[in-house]
Amino acid sequence: MALTLLSTKLHPPLPTAHVIARPHLVARLERGIGAKLMLISSPAGTGKSTLLAAWLRQQSRPAAWLSLDKSDNDLGQFLLYLVSALQQLDPDLGVGLPELLQQQNVVSFEPLLIRLTNNLAQLGGKVILVLDDYHFLSDSRIHDATEFLLDHLPSQVCLVIVTRTDPPLALSRLRVRSQLLEVRGADLRFDLAEVAHFLNGSQELGLSPAAIASLEAQTEGWIAALQLAALSLAERPDKEAFVEAFVGSHRFLVDYLVDEVLSRQPASIKTFLQRTAILERFNTSLCEAVTGQTTDADLLRQLEAANLFLVPLDDERRWYRFHHLFAEFLRHRLKADEPALIPELHRRASAWFAAQGLTDEAIRHAFLADDNELAAQVAAAVVAKLAVQWSNEQFIQYFQRLPTALIPAHPQLCLYYGWFLTTTGRLGTIKAALPLLEQSKGYSPEPQMLDAAIFGLRAYDHLHQLDFADAARLCQQQLSLLESAEPGHSTPEALMVRIAGTNLMGSICFYTAPQRAAALYQVALNLAQQIGSFISIFTATTGLAQANRQLGQLREAARVLEQGLRHLEDTRSQRGSSARTGNVAELHARLGQLHYERNQLAEAGAALRQARKLNELYGSPLALALGLSLSLKLCLAEGEVEAAYTALHRLDEVSVSVHGSDALLKQTFEVLAMHGRLALLAQTPQLTHLLDEVKDWLESCWRGNDEHFGSPLSGHDILARLRLARNEPTQALPLLERLIEAAQDQERENDLIRFLLLQALALQQLNREGEAMQALIRALKLAEPEGYCRSFIDLGPQMQALLKQRARDRNTPYLAALLAAFPERSSPLTAPEQPQTEVILQRVQGEVFNARELAVLRLLEVGNTHKQIARELQLSPNTVRWYMKNLYLKLRANNRTGALNRAREMGLL
């Protein structure tokens, strides 16, 4: 369920009556338009927002406005509103980012802001971005994001921050560079002429010069105090005497004058003002719900006309807010006059917002009412929709604010909490959640559903600890419990638990029983499509594709992934939002792997680029690791060993970053990295240190038993390849025979093809050519229907020699195509010099740039062509084009100019 944004936060305040023109300040702002930052910093009530809004109305430059409040002191919500504000300039700015920000926690704000600044750089003219009331923000991550934005804003964007206190940004650096325009409280102070114009011109009070001078001195030119004074004086016959009699500080003057203004209002208006002050913004309907009083449709306009400090927030004057200073005073008075009523006012506000579908506001007011039970009820009412849309971060934020003791009384919340924990991989929280679900059974009319969820959570935890046996046992208990439920019982919660359990059992079976895994994933996919659950559809789609690939059905696996991508695109069109980008990135990466196996390298490269682009914001470690593994293979296919080594180094970094509690994910990444080392070794045998690294890994992770022998995570196939790489075919053969037998029994045809090819190489090394040829023929027979290719090519010259030998005896179109796909080189690829220390030269903003890429970049900067760079670096033109392609990808650029500009921004040049 998409979060409903308050559109009134995205528009500047409209002008109120009696606004005094301040041309000298407007001109000052105009002169500062070239600055990176305009800082308008002064106390409340000094006219900051009014001045800025007046300046914006007088010019043709487009402006994005964001009014901040306390609820925005969260990085995700701040960025969500920031992007939405910028989309007021151009709807194409940051397309898809608001939807993404509602799905999960922000991993890094840098990619998001990079995309935004790149989009802004493409705008034709000068634009202005205003962050009003920035003083409400204290989260250091928000300040870091703002600092980053300031550092990278294109020249056509001017950022304006309006605040009561200076933000913790590098203001001194901006001052030194003449990139900062500052407007302070002293600048905003009304001088004597402006005070006279306001009191006697705008307000028509007819005060003497002495009285005006006295008020100017007492208020220190503070416009809020002057407005209050004008209201207080308006109906007094003794205006001069009132001014002469009053003494005191300007803050005390404000308190006194507000009290004066309120005391002259009818009791109903005074009550109305105080009770509605709990609201950040309001309209007639909301005011009526909160106050319990029938509210005339024109009342808010009348109060605005009476200068009672209402600020209109839209052109139709339907939504208003109080001036902050006035609101603070009203809340203070409410607390003094009706303290017991305040929680009830917040409850009424919560009910109104909930009825309007404004869940965030509804829950915020429930918490302000100190009514956690109400907050839980509001969350429970929307959690099913949040689950279908996978707005998981939004729900988890709600859930974690609720007192632990209250949660079990809401079984629906407990069920979905457990579901969200598994779909977001929060292993560390699962054990703490289990007692909540146990306790919740006493409150539920369907305790068996909670039992099923508990089995599922425990199974998920065991699977991610690589305890397959207990995971399967617990998951089977879950499914059996669900099957024994009342026939036809299909509440959304029951379906969610059933889908999650079926997907989970598919994940367990994938490693040793892919046929059953495929059947389970298909059932889960059908159920998930019935209810439109995004994350369940995604999980079932990827699982079904992987199971089909393991069964050797490459075309069917590709069809499943392509269908999944089309479904997500249809979902985006129907809901007016972008598909969930991180998960889609994984689909593209897996599709790229299938293209790669069939030697469709251009298609594989395109899929990789799409996966990287989509994953840069989401930050899915799995999508990143799959992309790096594919990138390594593509680099080797192009003969780019240095780039492949860089990809391997990054893959190692991703493996190290995985939290130790997720053994399954860590093992998955490490297996990818070990296969990457073996792939490098096949093309560059001189990189002998990689053999030692694979050996060390096997010794560190070897489990000493044959549980799930031969499965993709067992490491047995890596051991077999290591023995072959070390010229130990005698030791490799018995292991390969067992691997082949296990793969055959479990119908893992994809693995069977790989193991047969390794067996053929081992037999060839032992000069058992007849047996080697039989193993090869068997592999060819299995591989030909689905167009396997790279499994042969990536084994290098030895496999090429075997295939040539087979072709001499009996050539076929498939065999001819395989031989034609081998690279035309007579010797192994050249390894980079000292790759462990020299390949990785510089890391900037999450991207690694090797020495060769930086050299190409510097030659580009001085205007060299591809051919000139090739001559200078003694490379082929094709190799230079490869480096250029990598640079464009890492720099997120489409051409030479864009790449150079981005490199300068990143400090590479």
Side-chain angles (χ1 to χ4, degrees):
M1 185 184 72
L3 175 67
T4 304
L5 296 177
L6 295 168
S7 60
T8 53
K9 291 164 64 77
L10 308 180
H11 301 284
L14 295 176
T16 56
H18 313 301
V19 172
I20 301 299
R22 311 195 74 187
H24 66 291
L25 289 176
V26 169
R28 183 172 177 180
L29 294 178
E30 190 65 28
R31 289 193 301 271
I33 191 64
K36 259 194 173 184
L37 173 65
M38 286 189 191
L39 178 66
I40 305 178
S41 178
S42 66
T46 51
K48 301 182 293 294
S49 301
T50 302
L51 169 65
L52 193 57
W55 173 56
L56 294 179
R57 285 193 299 273
Q58 293 182 23
Q59 60 174 280
S60 58
R61 300 182 187 95
W65 183 286
L66 173 55
S67 294
L68 299 162
D69 55 47
K70 292 177 182 177
S71 66
D72 299 314
N73 193 37
D74 169 82
L75 179 60
Q77 176 149 324
F78 170 75
L79 292 175
L80 175 61
Y81 269 106
L82 175 66
V83 174
S84 301
L86 287 169
Q87 288 180 340
Q88 304 300 305
L89 297 174
D90 183 343
D92 292 333
L93 281 172
V95 168
L97 298 184
E99 292 77 22
L100 174 66
L101 285 163
Q102 292 179 65
Q103 295 154 30
Q104 68 280 311
N105 193 21
V106 180
V107 177
S108 170
F109 58 75
E110 290 187 8
L112 183 149
L113 294 180
I114 286 170
R115 184 191 292 189
L116 279 180
T117 52
N118 286 342
N119 289 166
L120 288 168
Q122 296 170 8
L123 295 177
K126 194 78 176 183
V127 296
I128 300 163
L129 170 60
V130 178
L131 302 179
D132 192 23
D133 291 329
Y134 192 86
H135 52 269
F136 283 119
L137 309 181
S138 58
D139 188 329
S140 61
R141 297 177 304 160
I142 296 178
H143 299 315
D144 290 342
T146 306
E147 190 83 65
F148 183 90
L149 185 66
L150 267 173
D151 288 342
H152 297 89
L153 272 182
S155 59
Q156 60 261 52
V157 181
C158 176
L159 176 64
V160 183
I161 291 179
V162 184
T163 178
R164 295 183 191 176
T165 58
D166 280 7
L169 305 174
L171 300 179
S172 57
R173 185 180 65 198
L174 293 172
R175 286 191 193 101
V176 169
R177 297 177 180 176
S178 299
Q179 294 176 333
L180 174 66
L181 173 74
E182 297 175 83
V183 178
R184 299 285 180 178
D187 304 309
L188 292 168
R189 174 178 173 171
F190 274 50
D191 61 24
L192 188 59
E194 288 174 321
V195 172
H197 183 192
F198 173 71
L199 294 174
N200 283 350
S202 174
Q203 301 296 316
E204 300 179 348
L205 294 177
L207 297 175
S208 67
I212 290 172
S214 176
L215 278 175
E216 189 273 336
Q218 292 286 349
T219 62
E220 297 183 4
W222 193 10
I223 185 57
L226 289 167
Q227 288 173 310
L228 287 165
L231 280 173
S232 187
L233 287 166
E235 298 177 10
R236 285 183 175 275
D238 55 345
K239 295 180 177 59
E240 301 285 332
F242 174 81
V243 173
E244 290 175 6
F246 187 84
V247 292
S249 72
H250 63 283
R251 178 66 212 213
F252 180 60
L253 173 61
V254 170
D255 292 343
Y256 172 79
L257 291 175
V258 171
D259 195 51
E260 278 282 306
V261 170
L262 283 180
S263 67
R264 289 191 285 109
Q265 302 301 321
S268 60
I269 294 297
K270 179 181 175 183
T271 300
F272 177 88
L273 293 173
Q274 290 184 180
R275 291 180 179 180
T276 54
I278 67 159
L279 303 167
E280 296 287 345
R281 49 192 57 80
F282 45 83
N283 62 13
T284 301
S285 172
L286 176 55
C287 290
E288 188 168 287
V290 168
T291 63
Q293 303 171 1
T294 301
T295 304
D296 187 273
D298 292 326
L299 177 60
L300 296 180
R301 289 175 183 253
Q302 293 167 7
L303 294 176
E304 180 195 358
N307 293 327
L308 285 176
F309 295 91
L310 269 70
V311 180
L313 298 177
D314 56 20
D315 292 334
E316 294 81 17
R317 281 176 156 74
R318 293 175 182 167
W319 283 89
Y320 290 83
R321 68 168 173 84
F322 287 118
H323 188 288
H324 296 311
L325 200 64
F326 194 55
E328 289 172 9
F329 183 89
L330 290 172
R331 286 192 288 268
H332 178 75
R333 289 295 301 269
L334 176 66
K335 189 174 181 179
D337 293 348
E338 298 180 289
L341 184 62
I342 294 174
E344 176 59 24
L345 296 176
H346 282 295
R347 277 190 285 269
R348 294 172 187 173
S350 178
W352 187 91
F353 281 117
Q356 305 301 313
L358 298 168
T359 307
D360 268 15
E361 289 291 306
I363 291 181
R364 187 173 72 84
H365 279 283
F367 282 128
L368 287 171
D370 200 24
D371 193 336
N372 295 316
E373 176 62 33
L374 176 60
Q377 291 172 11
V378 175
V382 299
V383 66
K385 292 180 181 178
L386 291 172
V388 168
Q389 300 295 335
W390 205 47
S391 298
N392 55 304
E393 194 62 31
Q394 192 179 351
F395 171 72
I396 288 173
Q397 284 181 8
Y398 297 159
F399 195 93
Q400 290 177 339
R401 289 190 62 184
L402 295 171
T404 303
L406 178 69
I407 292 169
H410 296 272
Q412 188 181 32
L413 283 181
C414 288
L415 269 176
Y416 281 105
Y417 184 51
W419 184 82
F420 275 119
L421 291 178
T422 58
T423 57
T424 54
R426 300 184 183 225
L427 283 169
T429 317
I430 285 178
K431 286 184 173 62
L434 289 171
L436 297 178
L437 271 72
E438 287 283 1
Q439 295 171 41
S440 192
K441 287 159 56 177
Y443 298 88
S444 175
E446 301 174 307
Q448 75 277 10
M449 198 60 59
L450 286 160
D451 276 328
I454 290 168
F455 282 130
L457 281 175
R458 291 174 60 199
Y460 182 87
D461 186 51
H462 280 278
L463 173 61
H464 282 260
Q465 304 311 316
L466 298 177
D467 182 357
F468 292 90
D470 279 343
R473 176 181 58 79
L474 290 163
C475 196
Q476 188 57 57
Q477 286 180 283
Q478 178 192 35
L479 293 176
S480 299
L481 192 60
L482 291 169
E483 287 167 5
S484 67
E486 183 181 342
H489 188 73
S490 58
T491 64
E493 291 73 31
L495 274 175
M496 278 290 186
V497 176
R498 187 181 299 275
I499 292 166
T502 307
N503 271 330
L504 182 58
M505 184 59 90
S507 300
I508 297 168
C509 292
F510 166 75
Y511 296 99
T512 53
Q515 194 74 52
R516 187 187 178 200
L520 287 163
Y521 280 127
Q522 187 63 64
V523 170
L525 182 58
N526 294 339
L527 291 172
Q529 288 174 339
Q530 287 179 26
I531 62 174
S533 167
F534 170 83
I535 187 60
S536 300
I537 291 171
F538 162 76
T539 303
T541 296
T542 52
L544 182 57
Q546 285 296 91
N548 279 314
R549 180 182 180 182
Q550 185 64 289
L551 290 166
Q553 299 169 4
L554 300 185
R555 290 184 175 87
E556 178 61 16
R559 185 197 66 79
V560 169
L561 291 171
E562 289 165 351
Q563 181 180 333
L565 288 167
R566 284 194 298 273
H567 176 85
L568 296 176
E569 178 61 26
D570 290 343
T571 302
R572 183 196 67 78
S573 301
Q574 293 166 12
R575 295 174 182 164
S577 64
S578 292
R580 274 58 174 177
T581 58
N583 309 88
V584 177
E586 186 178 330
L587 296 184
H588 280 288
R590 293 194 183 279
L591 187 58
Q593 290 176 330
L594 294 172
H595 285 308
Y596 176 81
E597 176 57 53
R598 293 166 57 83
N599 205 37
Q600 297 164 338
L601 301 186
E603 291 87 345
L608 174 61
R609 289 190 291 275
Q610 188 68 2
R612 282 180 171 176
K613 177 182 176 183
L614 293 170
N615 195 49
E616 66 177 7
L617 298 175
Y618 185 92
S620 162
L622 182 55
L624 176 59
L626 291 171
L628 289 169
S629 175
L630 177 57
S631 176
L632 184 151
K633 295 175 184 176
L634 286 170
C635 290
L636 287 176
E638 296 285 345
E640 296 294 336
V641 179
E642 191 172 328
Y645 202 94
T646 300
L648 176 61
H649 182 87
R650 294 189 65 197
L651 187 53
D652 286 338
E653 288 184 330
V654 175
S655 299
V656 170
S657 70
V658 176
H659 195 275
S661 63
D662 195 341
L664 178 65
L665 193 61
K666 193 171 187 63
Q667 184 89 345
T668 300
F669 290 178
E670 289 177 354
V671 165
L672 285 173
M674 293 308 116
H675 280 297
R677 282 169 167 76
L678 293 168
L680 268 164
L681 272 166
Q683 303 295 329
T684 53
Q686 60 270 49
L687 291 177
T688 55
H689 70 282
L690 293 176
L691 285 173
D692 295 330
E693 291 173 9
V694 174
K695 176 178 175 289
D696 291 344
W697 177 80
L698 283 169
E699 290 176 352
S700 68
C701 74
W702 201 255
R703 295 180 171 273
N705 60 57
D706 285 348
E707 182 184 7
H708 296 297
F709 178 85
S711 76
L713 294 183
S714 69
H716 293 92
D717 60 331
I718 294 174
L719 176 60
R721 287 195 67 179
L722 175 66
R723 287 174 176 173
L724 286 177
R726 297 173 65 175
N727 294 313
E728 299 172 353
T730 303
Q731 291 84 352
L733 263 180
L735 180 57
L736 284 167
E737 288 168 0
R738 290 187 62 201
L739 286 169
I740 289 168
E741 182 181 0
Q744 189 169 287
D745 290 345
Q746 297 165 2
E747 299 180 273
R748 292 186 285 115
E749 195 163 297
N750 186 74
D751 284 347
L752 181 57
I753 292 169
R754 294 191 303 112
F755 299 157
L756 285 168
L757 293 176
L758 293 176
Q759 184 186 47
L761 292 180
L763 290 165
Q764 185 191 41
Q765 287 181 24
L766 292 170
N767 296 318
R768 294 160 59 177
E769 294 187 358
E771 294 172 85
M773 193 55 60
Q774 288 303 311
L776 177 64
I777 291 170
R778 189 178 171 192
L780 285 167
K781 185 178 179 180
L782 292 170
E784 181 175 357
E786 293 294 324
Y788 276 82
C789 186
R790 297 305 306 192
S791 289
F792 295 84
I793 298 171
D794 292 347
L795 291 175
Q798 285 183 298
M799 179 52 61
Q800 186 179 21
L802 261 180
L803 289 171
K804 284 180 177 179
Q805 184 179 338
R806 174 58 182 166
R808 284 193 293 271
D809 296 336
R810 185 174 181 274
N811 202 1
T812 65
Y814 177 56
L815 194 51
L818 284 177
L819 287 168
F822 276 86
E824 297 179 3
R825 52 176 178 256
S826 58
S827 59
L829 296 173
T830 303
E833 294 182 9
Q834 296 181 313
Q836 303 95 313
T837 57
E838 292 191 0
V839 171
I840 308 303
L841 182 67
Q842 194 163 352
R843 170 175 293 279
V844 181
Q845 296 174 10
E847 291 290 355
V848 176
F849 296 86
N850 62 46
R852 190 74 76 187
E853 288 168 340
L854 292 172
V856 169
L857 198 55
R858 293 185 184 107
L859 289 171
L860 274 179
E861 185 183 25
V862 295
N864 283 294
T865 66
H866 286 166
K867 289 183 179 179
Q868 290 170 329
I869 294 172
R871 284 197 300 271
E872 179 71 24
L873 298 178
Q874 296 183 338
L875 300 171
S876 72
N878 282 338
T879 301
V880 172
R881 276 190 283 273
W882 172 265
Y883 281 120
M884 288 297 302
K885 190 162 55 176
N886 280 347
L887 283 168
Y888 286 173
L889 196 61
K890 293 179 181 180
L891 295 169
R892 301 174 186 87
N894 299 315
N895 52 47
R896 176 188 294 237
T897 302
L900 290 173
N901 288 339
R902 181 79 187 103
R904 293 186 186 100
E905 290 176 5
M906 295 172 72
L908 292 171
L909 295 174

